[in-house]
Amino acid sequence: MERERLVQRALQLSVLSIGLSGLVGGVAVVVGLASGTLVLLGFGIDAAIDAVSSAALVWRFRIEAREPERAERVEALAETIVGLVLLVLGVYLGVNAVQALAEGAATEGTLLGTILLLVSLVTLPPLAVAKYRVARRLASGALRADSILTGMAALLALISLASLVLGELAGLTWADAVGALIVTVVLLREGWSSVDLGSKLAARLGR
C-alpha cells in the first residue's frame, strides 16, 4: 500500500512537471533565441526536455500502477531514456558555450526573461526536491534522473540571472558561457550514470 501511494505521488509530480516545465521552458527558448542569451536558452531547453522526460515517467508509473510485475523493466528503459536526454542536453549546451567563448559573444537581458527566471527559481527547486525524495523512497533511478533535470533547470535559472548581472554591472560578457560549461559537466556526469545504471538493470533482468 505504501508503494502504491508513492507511485501515485510520483505520477502527480510528473504531471505537474509537464505543465510547469513545459510552460517556462517554451517561453525561455523563445526569449533566449531572441536575446541571444546562451544560459537562458539552455535553461529553456532543459526545462522543455524535463517536461518530455516527465511524460516518459507518467508512462512508466502508470504501467507499474496497472502491472506491478513490469515495474523493473520499464524502470530500466525510462532511466536509460532520461540519461540519454541529459547527455544530449549536456553536449548541446557545451558546444554552444565553447563557441560563445571563442567568439566573445555578449548576452542581452530582457525584462520578460528576468521575470521568467525569478519565477523558475521559486517554483522549480521545491519540485526537484519533492521528486528526489519520492525517487529515493521508490528506489527509482529514472525519477531521480528526472529530478536532476528539474534541479539543473533551477540552477541554470540562477546562473543565467548571475551572468546577466555580471555582464551588466561588471562587463563580464563571458560569465554566461562559463556558467553553461559548469552545468554541462554536471549534466554529462549524471547522464552517463543514468544510462549506465539503466543498461545494467536491463542486462540483469534479461538474464
Side-chain angles (χ1 to χ4, degrees), residues 1-206:
M1 291 298 295
E2 174 66 11
R3 184 168 183 87
E4 289 178 7
R5 185 184 67 80
L6 289 172
V7 167
Q8 290 303 313
R9 176 64 173 161
L11 274 170
Q12 293 167 0
L13 290 172
S14 297
V15 170
L16 175 61
S17 186
I18 292 171
L20 180 59
S21 297
L23 176 62
V24 298
V27 176
V29 167
V30 173
V31 176
L33 287 172
S35 63
T37 306
L38 181 61
V39 177
L40 181 59
L41 178 61
F43 158 74
I45 294 173
D46 180 273
I49 290 176
D50 184 30
V52 176
S53 172
S54 294
L57 287 171
V58 168
W59 163 78
R60 176 253 184 273
F61 287 114
R62 279 183 175 172
I63 287 181
E64 177 170 350
R66 295 194 305 263
E67 305 172 67
E69 69 278 2
R70 294 181 59 194
E72 283 193 313
R73 292 193 179 278
V74 294
E75 168 68 22
L77 179 57
E79 187 167 5
T80 301
I81 290 172
V82 176
L84 289 172
V85 166
L86 287 168
L87 288 174
V88 170
L89 176 60
V91 171
Y92 174 83
L93 196 58
V95 169
N96 280 274
V98 171
Q99 183 178 358
L101 282 173
E103 297 175 354
T107 60
E108 179 182 347
T110 66
L111 178 59
L112 178 58
T114 302
I115 293 174
L116 183 67
L117 292 172
L118 289 172
V119 170
S120 300
L121 280 176
V122 172
T123 57
L124 293 181
L127 179 58
V129 170
K131 285 183 181 181
Y132 185 83
R133 287 176 176 172
V134 175
R136 187 172 57 182
R137 296 179 67 183
L138 283 172
S140 172
L143 184 57
R144 176 185 174 279
D146 188 53
S147 74
I148 291 171
L149 261 178
T150 306
M152 285 299 101
L155 180 58
L156 277 168
L158 178 61
I159 291 175
S160 186
L161 277 174
S163 66
L164 289 175
V165 171
L166 289 172
E168 289 291 331
L169 299 182
L172 302 179
T173 56
W174 45 262
D176 180 57
V178 171
L181 282 175
I182 293 172
V183 177
T184 293
V185 173
V186 178
L187 288 172
L188 292 177
R189 180 174 64 85
E190 294 297 335
W192 177 255
S193 176
S194 293
V195 170
D196 184 51
L197 290 174
S199 299
K200 287 179 178 176
L201 178 57
R204 180 173 63 82
L205 294 171

